[in-house]
């Protein structure tokens, strides 16, 4: 099973410049799984500056282009 190292697009609102931290990756032995953050402070919404929003938008556009190009590869 493939694992991601970043947040989900569904937790990202680039129009508002916000990312919500809703999950964390936990390593237990050789297993990696998703879980809720350990504390309430860990689950939060982070405000992004405009340069970061633009960088993420460029990254997402490249991801979309790659998906179309690679299809089911």
């Amino acid at each position: 099973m493939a694992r991601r190292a970043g947040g989900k697009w569904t937790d990202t609102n680039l129009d508002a410049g916000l990312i919500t931290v809703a999950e964390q990756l936990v390593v237990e032995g050789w297993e990696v799984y998703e879980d809720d953050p350990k504390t309430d402070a860990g689950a939060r919404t982070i405000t992004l500056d405009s340069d970061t929003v633009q960088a993420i938008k460029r990254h997402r556009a490249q991801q979309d282009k790659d998906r179309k190009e690679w299809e089911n590869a």
Side-chain angles (χ1 to χ4, degrees):
M1 175 191 294
R3 292 282 176 195
R4 61 185 160 67
K8 296 178 182 177
W9 285 119
T10 55
D11 294 332
T12 305
N13 183 338
L14 295 177
D15 293 331
L18 301 171
I19 291 182
T20 300
V21 178
E23 296 178 330
Q24 67 179 7
L25 294 180
V26 178
V27 178
E28 192 172 292
W30 293 100
E31 298 295 319
V32 178
Y33 61 93
E34 295 174 358
D35 200 359
D36 295 332
K38 292 179 191 175
T39 66
D40 289 340
R44 62 191 176 277
T45 299
I46 300 169
T47 304
L48 304 171
D49 64 83
S50 60
D51 289 340
T52 302
V53 169
Q54 292 307 312
I56 294 172
K57 284 181 177 182
R58 287 191 303 272
H59 173 71
R60 183 155 196 190
Q62 184 64 49
Q63 257 190 352
D64 291 343
K65 180 182 170 196
D66 292 344
R67 278 192 189 103
K68 286 179 185 174
E69 184 179 319
W70 299 338
E71 293 181 8
N72 294 327

